[in-house]
Structure formats: C-alpha cells, structure tokens
Amino acid sequence: MEPGKHIVVGSGPAVMVQLENAHKVYMTGLVPVRALAGVNLNVAKGEFLAIMGPSGCGKSTLLNLIGAIDRPSTGRVRVAGVDLLGLSDDDLSDFRRDRIGFVHQFYNLIASLTAAENVELPLSFKGIAAAERAKRVEELLELVGLEDRASHTPSLLSGGEQQRVAIARALANHPDLILLDEPTGDLDITSGDAILDLLATLNREEGVTLILVTHNPLVAAWSARTIMMEDGRVVEKDGGPKPAPVKSEAA
Ligand SMILES: Nc1ncnc2c1ncn2[C@@H]1O[C@H](COP(=O)(O)OP(=O)(O)O)[C@@H](O)[C@H]1O
Ligand SMILES: [Mg+2]
C-alpha cells in the first residue's frame, strides 16, 4: 500500500484513539472469558496516558485492540481517524507497521536474530533500502544505549537490554502512536528512568502519542493522565494534566 494511505486529509484528527463500547470475549477455553466489558476511551493526539489496574483486568487486551493486533467482539475502535474494523487483515498489518510502535510485555524478539537484525525487521518489511536501514538501526541502538550490543542475540542480553531492543524496534518506522505493555518491569530504576525520559522526550518534542500499561505508580507518574481499569472496565479517569515528575537536573 502507498505510504500515507491511512492519513486523514485535512489538519488530521485531534483524537488519536477512540474506543466506543468495546467488548472482548475470548472463546478459547471451555467457558467464555469476558476480558473487556464496554470500554469507552478517548486519547488525544500527543497525549501521554498511563493505564493501571490489577492483573487480569484487561489492560493487555485493551492495548492489543488499540494496537491493531486484535479486534473487539463488539464495539468500535478508531486510531488516527481510521476505523480499524473496516480494514482487511492485510491493511491492518500495514497500518500497524506504519503507524504504531508496540512494545510487548515479553518483548517478542526473534531469538535467532541479533539485536540489530531485530530492530531492522520493521524497516525491511517497509521496503527501506539496505544502506538507509543500516543507518537507522545504528541510530536507534544508540538512542537506547545499546550500540555495543548490536550483534548479540536476545539470549545474550539482560531482560532490560531486551526491552530496550524492543523499544528501538518499536521506534523504527517513526510511529505516531507508541504502546507499551508494562515496559519497565525488568529495568533497574536508573535505566528505567533513562528509557522513560527518552519516551517522554519523544512525546514532548515530537508529539508522539504514548499509551503505557504499568503496575508501578512511579512509572505512571511520568504520564499526563492515568486511568484505572477493573474487571474489563475503565473505573476511574482523572482529569487534566498533572505536574511533571521531579527529576534530578544532573541526569
Ligand atoms: N488469548 C486469550 N484467550 C483466553 N483468555 C484470555 C486471552 N488473553 C487474555 N485472556 C483473559 O482475559 C482477561 C484479561 O487479560 P489481560 O488483558 O491479559 O489482563 P491484564 O493485562 O490486565 O493482566 C484475563 O482473565 C485473561 O485470562
Ligand atoms: Mg497484561
């Protein structure tokens, strides 16, 4: 598909994500599991949103619907002005590749590929030429502080390093929406802060919309808005922006 096919003509939607009465029922086991029970959510373009809530409340399911990885059982999901239900599977995967950076809870790196090759993959899928790919991969690994780990396979990397590879891969095609599922679970607080600082900078300076799932209030404090989920529903939404977290100036 030509680049920009999904870009809405005009000034672009001020709303990046819009869920209307989204339900998700998994039929995989013996009994149906209701993972989402009517979620309504608007996320503005350029927003930094955190999603919190107990294990099993539907956070990953919600992120998968927003990230075009899965479809709702009923309800509507619009991202960047595009109704995801109206897209074919092929168009959905192009949309995902071109517009969304997804950092999975367990990273989903390819074990047989090096860090550099993992980061390169979305660029190859997009048909970027080899020389440009190499330059971008170098830039991305440097951005996440892993330039000296380029030729390591995931099994030779720590959990935190694997996560940084996943973040570099998510950033590869300059997405306008980045989704992170419990992103700093494995990182020590220092490198966690560095990664959050990087994400916050992308949000602030490049207007990238960020949605992150976390169980850690210190991580959620980096966002401008936090919502709480429970039993497949959004139970608490807070209002306006919060003050920025206190950070050491020396960093
Ligand atoms: N692929 C699946 N098949 C069946 N049930 C699932 C699947 N994915 C998630 N669930 C169930 O849906 C509910 C919500 O899961 P999830 O979205 O992963 O929650 P969270 O990320 O908040 O821990 C849980 O009860 C979980 O067991
Ligand atoms: Mg989860």
Side-chain angles (χ1 to χ4, degrees):
M1 161 190 324
E2 335 80 85
K5 176 171 167 186
H6 297 301
I7 293 169
V8 172
V9 180
S11 58
V15 178
M16 178 56 83
V17 173
Q18 193 170 26
L19 277 95
E20 278 173 33
N21 201 19
H23 287 254
K24 181 71 186 182
V25 180
Y26 289 110
M27 305 297 290
T28 28
L30 288 175
V31 281
V33 174
R34 198 159 75 145
L36 293 180
V39 171
N40 293 294
L41 178 66
N42 279 345
V43 183
K45 215 169 171 178
E47 222 190 310
F48 184 170
L49 176 77
I51 301 174
M52 298 188 76
S55 176
C57 72
K59 304 180 299 295
S60 294
T61 302
L62 175 61
L63 219 55
N64 289 345
L65 297 191
I66 297 170
I69 287 172
D70 206 352
R71 297 174 190 269
S73 306
T74 60
R76 178 183 269 251
V77 181
R78 292 173 73 83
V79 177
V82 176
D83 187 343
L84 297 189
L85 290 177
L87 298 185
S88 68
D89 286 349
D90 279 356
D91 282 351
L92 206 59
S93 83
D94 284 353
F95 182 82
R96 208 160 49 220
R97 180 200 65 200
D98 294 343
R99 307 296 297 272
I100 296 170
F102 206 117
V103 182
H104 299 270
Q105 190 159 12
F106 304 106
Y107 323 133
N108 293 5
L109 298 176
I110 295 179
S112 58
L113 299 182
T114 65
E117 288 163 347
N118 269 285
V119 174
E120 189 178 2
L121 219 50
L123 300 165
S124 304
F125 286 140
K126 204 176 176 178
I128 310 277
E132 196 185 327
R133 287 205 304 269
K135 187 166 155 271
R136 180 81 182 129
V137 168
E138 202 183 315
E139 199 175 276
L140 286 160
L141 286 175
E142 205 180 304
L143 194 66
V144 297
L146 285 180
E147 59 275 32
D148 55 351
R149 299 286 193 283
S151 56
H152 288 52
T153 51
S155 65
L156 301 175
L157 298 170
S158 72
E161 287 168 342
Q162 291 179 40
Q163 195 168 52
R164 281 189 275 160
V165 174
I167 290 172
R169 181 181 60 181
L171 298 176
N173 286 328
H174 302 283
D176 35 23
L177 173 62
I178 300 177
L179 306 171
L180 305 100
D181 204 348
E182 314 237 11
T184 48
D186 261 355
L187 298 180
D188 62 71
I189 198 73
T190 319
S191 59
D193 274 356
I195 284 298
L196 282 162
D197 201 21
L198 166 68
L199 294 167
T201 303
L202 286 168
N203 169 252
R204 205 175 45 241
E205 291 177 7
E206 297 182 32
V208 174
T209 308
L210 277 184
I211 303 179
L212 86 82
V213 166
T214 181
H215 55 263
N216 185 343
L218 291 174
V219 172
W222 284 74
S223 74
R225 178 163 71 113
T226 301
I227 61 169
M228 298 294 299
M229 289 185 70
E230 213 177 277
D231 292 333
R233 289 192 175 86
V234 175
V235 291
E236 190 189 310
K237 301 186 197 190
D238 78 12
K242 290 182 299 202
V246 180
K247 264 193 305 169
S248 148
E249 285 303 314

